[in-house]
Amino acid sequence: MSYAGTTPLFAPGPNPRAPALPWRSDDFVAVDDRVRGGTSHSHTAIIQYPPYSRGELVFSGFLDTLTLGGAGFASQASTTAFPVALNKNEFSGLRLVVRKQRDWHEPAPPADGDVPGGGKAPVRSFVFEIKTEVPKTRPDGRRESVVVWEWSFTVPHDDDEGVRDARLNAALTNDDFWVFDSTWADFKPMYRGRPVDADKAGEFLPHNTHEWSLMARSNFSAQSGPFVLQLHSLNALPSQPPLHTSHPLPSSTEATESWVDEKSNHSFRATLPRTPLARSTGEYYGFALFIFATVLWVGWIAWALTPDEMLQRLGVAWYPSREWAFLLPAWSLFAVLAVYAVFIGLNARSTPELDEIVNVANSAQRGVVVDMAVEKHLLEDRARLATSLHDIYDLPPTYVSRQVHLE
């Protein structure tokens, strides 16, 4: 997948485009409501099959609201630092690319109602969290709560007619992916699931990210049950120039750029500001070579095919014999064919015969001396085997042939 216009942070591995890091399931730690006595759970995994989605991250689990009386959450936290510092002067937000047709199925336990887990609807809303403060550790080993900056997004389902998340990028969303674009203003300060006054929370500084996580939250029994979120990539959106996601026709100041998903052959299209193209000197050299070749061809036509009377009327009194006009091209063609013949002959001369020892031995080998009069097999010689594992040696072909065919 092309990440033109954005800075990739995490993408399918093993070698994503720099500076992105590959998704790794062991970078995440489960932080579920089980720390408060709940029964929700979550985990992460890396897709290995099918090939078109290999390397993508799966965030899945089960969200329960019955145990804690309507509350519940399941999240996976990562302290792996972003490959670049998310300075507000350079970046305006994050882009999350989510696969529509998930390659992972999360089993659900039997339920009395229509929705497992006691909620009113299936899990469709997720939260992307960023912590800029380092939590303190209590004497009992538990971490104290800190202000968390949260961005909530809702993944549409097939039966959601006309229901779309406000941050869903309709211009880049296609048959395979949902594309969600956030700005730093979309990250709201929260403390233990409740909003915090912006003045008390202070300024959001994404470049001080200490921990980030993905969460499925019940929102007080609004949703529950099994959930699966398959992430293709996480990218940082640049501050300048801004990325336009509308559909106007390209004008003199805009250009349409296609982003191709290399694994599924689907494309993302966005409208980007047109920037002046830098021209290289190779274009001028190519044009000059074209002019020179054209003049040379016209001169050869005039030399070889123009009648003498016409040349004399034009004032051309002397020119080389016309025989050379035909001999030079003919000799050139013969020279090209002769080069092939010469190289074939040199290769044939340099190739040893099939029965020559150089086909299986050369000056770089480390041969072991074998006494052909000794009938003992090398593998039966305990004294030699005791020291043979320190280095690697080549056995003489004559000895190998004798052991294979004459024993």
Side-chain angles (χ1 to χ4, degrees):
M1 174 182 178
S2 175
Y3 303 95
T6 65
T7 300
L9 303 178
F10 291 91
N15 298 308
R17 173 192 166 187
L21 300 175
W23 291 116
R24 292 173 55 92
S25 59
D26 52 3
D27 287 344
F28 294 85
V29 177
V31 183
D32 305 323
D33 60 16
R34 288 179 292 179
V35 298
R36 301 180 184 176
T39 57
S40 301
H41 61 269
S42 65
H43 46 265
T44 56
I46 302 299
I47 293 293
Q48 300 297 333
Y49 186 85
Y52 63 80
S53 61
R54 181 176 296 142
E56 295 180 350
L57 178 73
V58 171
F59 168 53
S60 62
F62 185 84
L63 184 61
D64 176 75
T65 63
L66 298 175
T67 305
L68 297 180
F73 65 90
S75 68
Q76 290 284 321
S78 173
T79 56
T80 302
F82 294 127
V84 295
L86 299 180
N87 296 313
K88 288 186 175 180
N89 295 333
E90 301 178 17
F91 304 102
S92 61
L94 297 178
R95 167 172 292 166
L96 198 60
V97 181
V98 180
R99 184 171 290 277
K100 288 184 177 181
Q101 302 296 331
R102 300 177 295 273
D103 302 306
W104 189 276
H105 175 71
E106 187 69 22
D112 297 334
D114 296 335
V115 180
K120 300 177 182 178
V123 179
R124 301 180 182 180
S125 178
F126 297 89
V127 179
F128 190 96
E129 296 183 336
I130 291 181
K131 291 182 180 179
T132 57
E133 301 179 40
V134 180
K136 297 181 180 179
T137 304
R138 299 177 180 177
D140 58 359
R142 298 174 59 186
R143 298 190 306 174
E144 295 183 356
S145 299
V146 296
V147 174
V148 180
W149 299 86
E150 297 184 355
W151 162 42
S152 299
F153 60 95
T154 301
V155 177
H157 282 220
D158 295 336
D159 55 352
D160 292 340
E161 295 294 338
V163 178
R164 290 293 183 268
D165 188 280
R167 304 310 302 175
L168 181 65
N169 191 323
L172 300 185
T173 295
N174 58 24
D175 295 337
D176 286 340
F177 299 103
W178 300 111
V179 180
F180 297 91
D181 288 349
S182 70
T183 63
W184 299 132
D186 294 326
F187 285 82
K188 306 300 182 182
M190 306 287 287
Y191 182 79
R192 302 187 69 173
R194 298 184 181 277
V196 178
D197 185 80
D199 296 333
K200 295 182 180 180
E203 183 183 1
F204 177 40
L205 302 175
H207 63 275
N208 290 336
T209 299
H210 167 70
E211 179 181 293
W212 60 278
S213 59
L214 295 165
M215 174 185 287
R217 188 164 52 201
S218 66
N219 296 327
F220 301 102
S221 299
Q223 59 180 8
S224 67
F227 62 88
V228 177
L229 189 69
Q230 185 168 330
L231 305 180
H232 178 275
S233 61
L234 176 64
N235 313 277
L237 298 175
S239 294
Q240 295 293 336
L243 182 64
H244 304 286
T245 57
S246 56
H247 295 279
L249 294 176
S251 62
S252 59
T253 59
E254 294 180 340
T256 300
E257 179 173 347
S258 295
W259 300 2
V260 179
D261 186 341
E262 299 165 354
K263 295 184 178 181
S264 61
N265 292 327
H266 289 280
S267 63
F268 296 152
R269 290 183 175 86
T271 303
L272 301 174
R274 182 182 297 275
T275 56
L277 297 178
R279 298 185 180 275
S280 63
T281 56
E283 299 177 6
Y284 304 108
Y285 293 149
F287 181 73
L289 182 61
F290 167 75
I291 296 298
F292 175 75
T294 302
V295 172
L296 190 63
W297 179 75
V298 172
W300 183 86
I301 293 295
W303 176 28
L305 303 179
T306 305
D308 294 340
E309 295 79 4
M310 184 176 295
L311 291 177
Q312 292 175 2
R313 284 199 299 266
L314 294 175
V316 179
W318 180 90
Y319 47 86
S321 175
R322 282 196 173 90
E323 295 180 355
W324 294 104
F326 299 97
L327 289 176
L328 290 178
W331 288 354
S332 300
L333 293 176
F334 176 78
V336 172
L337 297 177
V339 168
Y340 284 98
V342 169
F343 275 99
I344 292 175
L346 291 176
N347 290 334
R349 181 181 180 183
S350 302
T351 303
E353 298 294 335
L354 293 178
D355 58 350
E356 293 188 18
I357 193 64
V358 294
N359 288 319
V360 292
N362 55 29
S363 58
Q365 78 171 42
R366 303 182 62 182
V368 59
V369 179
V370 178
D371 187 359
M372 301 304 296
V374 178
E375 296 295 336
K376 182 183 294 185
H377 194 283
L378 283 180
L379 298 180
E380 300 173 357
D381 191 345
R382 300 299 178 183
R384 187 183 294 273
L385 288 177
T387 58
S388 63
L389 296 180
H390 297 284
D391 297 294
I392 298 178
Y393 296 92
D394 296 317
L395 295 177
T398 52
Y399 175 80
V400 175
S401 178
R402 177 180 178 182
Q403 295 295 332
V404 172
H405 301 290
L406 299 181
E407 287 293 330

